[in-house]
Amino acid sequence: MPERRTVALVTLGCARNEVDSEELAGRLAADGWDLVEDAADADVAVVNTCGFVEAAKKDSVDALLEANDLKDHGRTQAVVAVGCMAERYGKELAEALPEADGVLGFDDYADISDRLQTILSGGVHASHTPRDRRKLLPISPAERQAAAVALPGHAQEAQDARDSAPADLPEGLAPASGPRAPLRRRLESSPVASVKLASGCDRRCSFCAIPSFRGSFISRRPSDVLGETRWLAEQGVKEIMLVSENNTSYGKDLGDIRLLETLLPELAAVDGLERIRVSYLQPAEMRPGLIDVLTSTEKVAPYFDLSFQHSAPGVLRAMRRFGDTDRFLELLETIRSKAPQAGARSNFIVGFPGETEDDLAELERFLTGARLDAIGVFGYSDEDGTEAATYGNKLDPETVAERLAHISRLAEELTAQRAEERIGETIEVMVDRVDEEDGVVGRAAHQAPETDGQVLLGARAGLVPGRMVTAEVVASEGVDLIAEPLGDGGCTEEAGR
């Protein structure tokens, strides 16, 4: 019997990339590949790259080079680049990085097993030629659902394929019960998992290249989102995070821009699930009904990941965005009037072309009044193919660096103050991990995985990942909270079952 082929998936970038990697894992496992965690133990190392900003691209290149080094003293025979950077640059990346044995675009995902086998056998698969993926879908959102376009993270196993599937599929691999199971294989045992709600974006922010390589906006069908969520719950997932480039647009191509308001209560009713979190919300598209659902639906975290980017009107217009300081503060006030403990986070760009000292002061005014739980700050840099890259009146790098350092310090102070404000609150904590050094570590409703701080519960016997604990915040350390479980270990009735 021939030795089974092994593959390792190395994932960089955002939660959307993590979903894409698990789809690739599902496809490969279904075709007989063994998935291993360590690239050194794999015949092929597949690096799911990020192509968002320069720092992320550098990390992707470093990961590819690191995997390539394994070919000299490990089992690894080939290194393959996939993901956003591979899709965005294609042949250009292949020429600049000959250490990669293959550079595959999104259109290759459906045939990933054949592509890897060709490369592993010494063959060559031509790197794809990048193209503007917005042009692959109809301009009218209503016509997009029927288009045959590769959409990573949307794959479902066809019914006829499941009917003929072998009975001895590896544990954790869909197909599963239900009319359309996700073509997905979990790569870790975390109690938290992301679910793709949609792909692409119709917004034309002048600084952002993502729509050019992720394409125009297209929603997943609610039945597919529900089916994948049920499958994840069966795998032991307790919290799901809905991800896309713009969740507030969900349903517009399905004829119902309010579809998310309908879907969230259905997701909350999935057996075994403890929390649903919605990420990537556009302030200009926030609706009263969506705010109501996010702040009042049981199991739905009152969590608002709002893409403000700046608050000075002139800078926002140059970014091709909408709003201003007062409107943004009013939005946050509306949210907190309905859910005082609601979490809010955002990212900001400083040093944008034409940004003045007054604009920076306006951003400071907003940040000071916003009481955000988490703040990401980036210094502006040109991105290939974006409108902003063609702008004049760019700030010199030293000025951008100074403003980045200044706003970053302010953000650190403000988020620490916000955490301190939460002392005395009663929170529901999802346990993420238990280790000797930190004890029990989890997250409250206002904290997304890896980005928004954590809750430290100390050494608590009987608490395991996935457990929901009711606790009181007693102290804070920066953005992190220190809390004491209430009652009988703080376990909620549902989580303790």
Side-chain angles (χ1 to χ4, degrees), residues 46 73 248:
V46 177
H73 48 76
T248 34

Side-chain angles (χ1 to χ4, degrees), residues 214-369:
R214 278 290 184 179
S216 297
F217 185 88
I218 184 166
S219 304
R220 292 183 73 191
R221 289 178 291 186
S223 58
D224 289 348
V225 177
L226 273 165
E228 185 162 334
T229 298
R230 292 189 182 106
W231 178 77
L232 287 166
E234 291 169 3
Q235 300 295 311
V237 169
K238 298 299 182 182
E239 176 179 336
I240 64 161
M241 184 163 67
L242 299 177
V243 299
S244 75
E245 281 73 21
N246 178 8
N247 280 335
T248 34
S249 283
Y250 180 68
K252 74 175 187 178
D253 53 320
L254 295 170
D256 185 0
I257 192 61
R258 294 175 177 82
L259 195 55
L260 184 56
E261 288 97 303
T262 304
L263 177 61
L264 285 171
E266 295 184 71
L267 293 171
V270 172
D271 288 342
L273 212 58
E274 294 290 341
R275 180 182 286 160
I276 298 99
R277 185 182 304 279
V278 184
S279 60
Y280 305 116
L281 301 169
Q282 288 292 340
E285 298 181 29
M286 290 301 295
R287 306 174 292 275
L290 180 56
I291 294 174
D292 287 343
V293 171
L294 287 170
T295 54
S296 65
T297 306
E298 186 179 4
K299 295 187 180 180
V300 174
Y303 175 79
F304 293 81
D305 177 11
L306 294 158
S307 179
F308 289 122
Q309 301 299 343
H310 211 283
S311 73
V315 176
L316 287 168
R317 301 305 174 267
M319 289 178 168
R320 304 288 186 197
R321 297 179 66 82
F322 307 94
D324 55 48
T325 296
D326 292 331
R327 274 190 277 183
F328 290 164
L329 291 175
E330 182 180 352
L331 172 60
L332 291 169
E333 183 180 352
T334 298
I335 291 168
R336 289 172 177 141
S337 70
K338 297 176 181 295
Q341 289 185 229
R345 68 145 4 252
S346 192
N347 292 324
F348 299 88
I349 299 172
V350 297
F352 194 79
E355 182 190 64
T356 65
E357 291 286 353
D358 287 344
D359 293 330
L360 196 68
E362 186 68 2
L363 176 58
E364 290 186 48
R365 182 170 80 89
F366 170 68
L367 291 173
T368 303

